[in-house]
Amino acid sequence: MLYTCGMCSEHNCKRGELQKLPSNCPCNEKEEQEKLKKLYLQEENYKLAYNSALVEAEGYCKKTRLEEIMDFANKCKYKKLGVAFCIGLSNEAKMLCKILKHNGFGVDSIVCKNGSIPKDFLEIKDSEKVRPGTYEPMCNPIGQANFLNNVKTDLNIMLGLCVGHDSLFIKYSEAPVTVFAVKDRVLAHNPLGSLYLSEGYYKNKLYK
């Protein structure tokens, strides 16, 4: 079965109008949905889902994502936060850590280049580097997750990890993960800009 929620213009699921649904709507899969509901009743999942709903309602169009992350952490009683950040956003990481600490959280932060493992380790050719002819350490998201696991963070916050590196960090993080910001150097870290420009300036790039 192919799922096409991204192309749906009705979204009856939001209104609870479940009588007229596309044949491939996940709402039709009653047995599967009952299994999923049971997962939400597991202790840790329940805590995350319940407090997420509270944060959404209390901060809706009123609070920034940073404020919501702190509210979420407080509601979940998470006191030790981890920050996994891109070295290109070091200044932003300093500001984020400072704010989190000011608000009473313990903070451990790990940069992406930890370990300074050369890209040669991955058999990256010099011509394939960002800056050929220079020393370039690889990003080490597994290391970021590992070191934050070692200090037993309650919640990990990603700040600007590269595409793919973020996947590895999420895969190896033992603590729940949330995203503060993603990296898009071309669009001032606003990747949605590519969608808003997809029928104009970026049309030829995205619809080749």
Side-chain angles (χ1 to χ4, degrees), residues 16-59:
E17 298 173 0
L18 308 182
Q19 293 77 28
K20 296 180 180 180
L21 298 171
S23 60
N24 64 341
C25 179
C27 290
N28 291 322
E29 300 190 42
K30 305 297 184 184
E31 185 176 339
E32 190 68 19
Q33 292 292 350
E34 288 303 315
K35 292 179 183 177
L36 297 174
K37 285 161 66 176
K38 290 179 181 178
L39 292 177
Y40 284 105
L41 297 180
Q42 294 178 7
E43 183 177 1
E44 183 66 14
N45 292 342
Y46 182 85
K47 179 172 70 172
L48 293 170
Y50 179 80
N51 288 313
S52 295
L54 293 182
V55 169
E56 178 189 14
E58 294 171 7

Side-chain angles (χ1 to χ4, degrees), residues 190-206:
N190 174 28
L192 285 176
S194 61
L195 300 184
Y196 302 140
L197 295 170
S198 64
E199 294 300 324
Y201 182 75
Y202 272 90
K203 187 171 185 177
N204 291 336
K205 292 187 177 183
L206 299 175

Side-chain angles (χ1 to χ4, degrees), residues 166-186:
D166 52 4
S167 302
L168 283 168
F169 178 78
I170 293 169
K171 180 178 181 179
Y172 283 92
S173 174
E174 293 176 0
V177 177
T178 191
V179 180
F180 176 51
V182 297
K183 180 169 59 187
D184 188 327
R185 290 189 173 96
V186 174

Side-chain angles (χ1 to χ4, degrees), residues 21 27 121 145 150 187:
L21 298 171
C27 290
F121 173 75
N150 288 346
L187 295 173

Side-chain angles (χ1 to χ4, degrees), residues 119 124-136:
K119 288 186 177 179
I124 298 293
K125 299 174 185 177
D126 188 69
S127 61
E128 296 172 324
K129 293 178 180 178
V130 177
R131 298 176 181 83
T134 66
Y135 176 77
E136 279 190 7

Side-chain angles (χ1 to χ4, degrees), residues 55-125:
V55 169
E56 178 189 14
E58 294 171 7
Y60 199 76
C61 293
K62 293 183 289 187
K63 293 188 177 182
T64 63
R65 187 172 183 87
L66 178 51
E67 291 173 294
E68 289 187 334
I69 288 174
M70 292 190 290
D71 284 351
F72 176 71
N74 281 322
K75 288 181 185 299
C76 290
K77 301 189 185 319
Y78 292 151
K79 297 301 180 185
K80 192 175 181 66
L81 307 183
V83 175
F85 69 97
C86 168
I87 197 166
L89 280 80
S90 293
N91 289 335
E92 291 83 350
K94 288 179 182 178
M95 290 187 279
L96 175 60
C97 292
K98 180 180 178 181
I99 291 168
L100 294 174
K101 289 178 181 178
H102 177 80
N103 283 273
F105 296 102
V107 181
D108 287 274
S109 56
I110 305 290
V111 69
C112 61
K113 300 299 183 182
N114 71 89
S116 193
I117 304 170
K119 288 186 177 179
D120 304 22
F121 173 75
L122 295 177
E123 299 185 357
I124 298 293
K125 299 174 185 177

